[in-house]
Amino acid sequence: MKTIHGMMLLGCSALALAGCGADDISSPGAGSIVINNPTPTPTPTPTPTSGTVVAAASCPSFSATGGLTDSGVLPGPEGTWRVCTLPALIDANSTLPKVAGVIYRISGRVDVGCDGGFAAPTSTATFATTTASCNGKVLNQDTNVTLSIDPGVIVFGENGAEPAWLAVNRGNKINASGTAALPIIFTSRSNVVGSNDDNSQGQWGGVVLLGRGKVTDCNYGSTTANTCERDTEGSVNKAVFGGNDNTYNAGTMKYVQIRYSGYVLSNGKELQSLTAEGVGTGTTLEYFQSVNSSDDGAEFFGGAVNFKHYIAVNADDDSLDIDTGLQGAFQYVLLLQRSGGGDAMVEADSDGAEDQLPRQKSIVANFTMVQPQSSSNNDANDKASLLIRGNSDITLVNGIINTPANECLRLNGSGTTPATLKAYSVVMSCNTTKYLDTGTYAAGSTAAQFATGTNNNDAFTSTLTSTFINGTNETGVAAYASLSSLSSYLDNVAYIGAVANASDTWYKGWTCNNGTAAFGSSTSCTALPTY
C-alpha cells in the first residue's frame, strides 16, 4: 500500500487521468492506494537571500487570445520573478521568450490548440465540437497551433481547482528546444520559492503530448476497424489520442527538465512528468531529464517513439513505462531510483489488451539501471526491477542492471502468444532469485528467454563509478555492435551501458544534481539556474 503525500485530491468532477498498467498490476502498485486529503495550506513565500534575479517590469507579448496574465512578483532564493500566467487555451502560434526576471506559470490545464481529431482533415473539413470541449472555442479541426519555448525558459505549474498540466492536443505541436547550456525547465511553485528537498514530488501535473499514432485498449472504436482511440481522462473536456499515423509529429522536446511532477487523482489515475500518447516518429525527443516524479519518470501509450538520452531520477513508480502497442526505440537511457523508493525501473505491457494488434515491440539499448545496494527490495508490486508482460515483445541490448537487493527480471505470460524477451550483451547484478515467472510461464522461462541473446551474464559484479559511469568490469563486456540491424534509429556503439567512461559526458551541463546522482551540473534540482 502506498500513501501519496502532499497532494490535493479533486472531487468527483475532476479529471481522471489514465496511467495504470494492465493485468494484475495498476500504476502505481496494485490493490489499495491510500490518498491523503489534507486541508490545503498555502505555501510559504520565503524572503530572498543572496539572489541575483530582478523581476522584469512586465510580461512579454504573447500571440494567443488573452495573452499572458501578469500575476505579480514572486520572491525566491534566486531573487524575484515576474510571474506571467499562460491562458487556458493557446489558440495561435505563440512563443515564450527568455526574458531576464520572467518566469511562466501554468495554472490548471493549459491546452495547446483544440483536439484535431483522429486524422488530419482535408482543407475544407471542420471539427464538429461543442464549445465546452475546448475552453469555449470552436476552431478548425486541425488547428496547427505551435507553442514555442526559448532556451533557458523556466515554466512552473501551480495546482488550483484542478492540477496544473500542459496538454498538446492532436494537430498541434510543442517546440521546446533548449540547448546544453540553456535547458528548458518545467517545475513546481515550491521549487521556485525554495521549499523543496530531495524527497519532494507530486507538486503539479506534467506535460502530455497527444498524437495520432496507433493505440490499443480502445475507449472509442476498435483495433480491428482501425478506429481505436483512447481517453487520457474522463472529464467533460476530453484529452483524446490515437489514429493511424505512426509518423505523427507532436513537435520537439530537447534539452528539457521536468521536475517534481505527477498528480494522483484516484486509484490508477495519475499524471507523470512526460506522458506521450500516440505520438509518432516525427516527434523529436532527446536529452530529457525527469526529476522526482510521483508516478512514472515517463510513460508512453502506443504510437511509435524514437528517444535518445533519457534520464529518470527518483521516479516513485516506474522509471520507464511503455504501453498499448508502442513501437519504441530508446538509446542512452539512465534510470536511477532512490534508496527504498519507486517500483520497477521498466514496466512493459499492452495495458490489458493482450489480443489486440499491434503488439508492443520496443527496444531499449545502451541503458544503465540502478537501484541502490543499500536499499531494501524496493520493486513494490512489479516484484522485479524489470517487468515484461501484456504480450509485449521487448529487446534489451548493451545494458547494465545494477539492482543487488532485488530480483532483476519478471515475465508475465498470458494469451496465445505471451510476452517475449530477447537480450544481447546485458549484464545484471541481482539478488539470489534473479528471475520470476508468472502467469502462464513455467518456471525457468524468464531465464531461458534472457539467455537467447549473446554475451549475457547473469552473475555480474558491478564496478560502476559515480553511480552510473562504466568501470573495469563493464568496460570488459563485449558490446552488441550491430544495433542498426535492430532499428535504423539506433547508433552502432562499441560499449554497453548509457555512459561509456569518464570522458563520455552527454549528461553534463543541461541536467540538475540531487542526492541520488550528481551529473556535474552547477545547479541542484532544488534550485533554479540564473544563467
Side-chain angles (χ1 to χ4, degrees):
M1 183 176 295
K2 181 182 293 183
T3 303
I4 310 297
H5 295 284
M7 299 181 182
M8 179 177 68
L9 179 65
L10 299 184
C12 61
S13 63
L15 306 176
L17 282 258
C20 61
D23 303 322
D24 55 336
I25 301 170
S26 64
S27 173
S32 301
I33 294 180
V34 177
I35 302 174
N36 292 333
N37 296 287
T39 301
T41 301
T43 303
T45 301
T47 301
T49 53
S50 58
T52 59
V53 176
V54 177
S58 61
C59 294
S61 61
F62 193 68
S63 300
T65 300
L68 297 167
T69 300
D70 188 337
S71 300
V73 174
L74 183 64
E78 286 73 38
T80 57
W81 302 92
R82 174 67 56 186
V83 178
C84 301
T85 300
L86 277 66
L89 173 64
I90 300 170
D91 59 0
N93 291 341
S94 304
T95 299
L96 296 178
K98 176 74 174 76
V99 177
V102 166
I103 196 166
Y104 299 99
R105 174 176 175 262
I106 295 173
S107 178
R109 171 175 165 177
V110 170
D111 285 284
V112 178
C114 295
D115 179 26
F118 184 87
T122 64
S123 59
T124 58
T126 57
F127 185 31
T129 182
T130 63
T131 57
S133 68
C134 192
N135 289 286
K137 294 285 184 179
V138 180
L139 301 178
N140 288 337
Q141 181 177 0
D142 209 0
T143 53
N144 288 316
V145 169
T146 297
L147 171 64
S148 297
I149 305 176
D150 283 352
V153 162
I154 300 173
V155 182
F156 75 90
E158 184 169 20
N159 295 333
E162 61 175 323
W165 59 294
L166 184 69
V168 182
N169 290 299
R170 292 182 293 188
N172 306 277
K173 295 182 177 69
I174 187 171
N175 180 18
S177 298
T179 66
L182 295 171
I184 293 166
I185 298 173
F186 293 89
T187 191
S188 66
R189 184 185 190 277
S190 294
N191 195 190
V192 177
V193 301
S195 60
N196 279 355
D197 60 27
D198 272 350
N199 295 312
S200 300
Q201 61 180 24
Q203 296 174 339
W204 68 292
V207 176
V208 180
L209 307 181
L210 301 125
R212 292 177 171 139
K214 293 183 179 182
V215 298
T216 61
D217 196 18
C218 318
N219 296 124
Y220 318 105
S222 69
T223 55
T224 54
N226 291 318
T227 56
C228 185
E229 295 177 283
R230 284 176 58 87
D231 205 355
T232 307
E233 41 77 26
S235 72
V236 174
N237 294 330
K238 304 294 186 182
V240 180
F241 62 96
N244 282 323
D245 183 9
N246 271 4
T247 66
Y248 180 83
N249 181 3
T252 297
M253 297 194 76
K254 184 174 183 178
Y255 292 112
V256 169
Q257 301 173 23
I258 298 184
R259 306 178 182 180
Y260 308 111
S261 60
Y263 199 92
V264 176
L265 299 172
S266 63
N267 191 348
K269 306 292 183 181
E270 308 92 21
L271 285 169
Q272 42 273 315
S273 63
L274 175 65
T275 308
E277 304 177 320
V279 305
T281 53
T283 306
T284 299
L285 298 172
E286 295 181 348
Y287 298 98
F288 177 91
Q289 183 186 27
S290 170
V291 179
N292 285 43
S293 170
S294 66
D295 194 57
D296 302 317
E299 186 163 14
F300 299 85
F301 292 88
V305 170
N306 291 331
F307 198 163
K308 286 178 179 173
H309 304 104
Y310 168 56
I311 299 174
V313 183
N314 291 352
D316 207 43
D317 191 21
D318 308 311
S319 294
L320 175 62
D321 199 339
I322 45 182
D323 305 287
T324 60
L326 172 68
Q327 311 296 294
F330 301 83
Q331 190 173 23
Y332 314 117
V333 175
L334 275 175
L335 307 181
L336 310 172
Q337 293 185 338
R338 66 162 62 91
S339 181
D343 200 341
M345 289 185 286
V346 174
E347 180 181 327
D349 63 30
S350 290
D351 207 18
E354 275 68 20
D355 296 321
Q356 295 183 17
L357 299 176
R359 289 170 64 97
Q360 181 184 163
K361 184 178 181 181
S362 293
I363 303 168
V364 186
N366 288 100
F367 60 86
T368 301
M369 306 178 185
V370 178
Q371 289 175 321
Q373 187 168 1
S374 60
S375 73
S376 59
N377 188 330
N378 65 328
D379 49 31
N381 288 300
D382 281 352
K383 300 179 182 178
S385 293
L386 280 77
L387 169 61
I388 300 169
R389 62 189 175 112
N391 292 11
S392 54
D393 301 319
I394 305 299
T395 298
L396 304 176
V397 57
N398 288 350
I400 300 165
I401 304 170
N402 184 24
T403 177
N406 297 342
E407 298 83 8
C408 273
L409 290 172
R410 175 187 171 201
L411 284 180
N412 185 64
S414 62
T416 304
T417 308
T420 66
L421 168 66
K422 293 181 180 179
Y424 305 91
S425 299
V426 177
V427 296
M428 306 189 302
S429 299
C430 323
N431 68 13
T432 55
T433 302
K434 297 185 180 63
Y435 307 104
L436 293 175
D437 309 286
T438 55
T440 58
Y441 275 125
S445 293
T446 303
Q449 290 199 43
F450 178 74
T452 60
T454 60
N455 300 321
N456 295 294
N457 187 343
D458 66 353
F460 184 79
T461 299
S462 173
T463 57
L464 291 171
T465 64
S466 301
T467 305
F468 55 81
I469 298 173
N470 284 357
T472 302
N473 288 356
E474 289 79 13
T475 302
V477 177
Y480 183 84
S482 300
L483 278 79
S484 60
S485 67
L486 304 175
S487 168
S488 59
Y489 175 72
L490 301 177
D491 300 329
N492 291 321
V493 297
Y495 59 90
I496 68 169
V499 179
N501 50 48
S503 299
D504 183 7
T505 58
W506 62 261
Y507 54 87
K508 284 189 175 181
W510 58 275
T511 49
C512 60
N513 301 327
N514 69 6
T516 297
F519 297 100
S521 172
S522 60
T523 304
S524 166
C525 296
T526 58
L528 299 180
T530 57
Y531 305 120

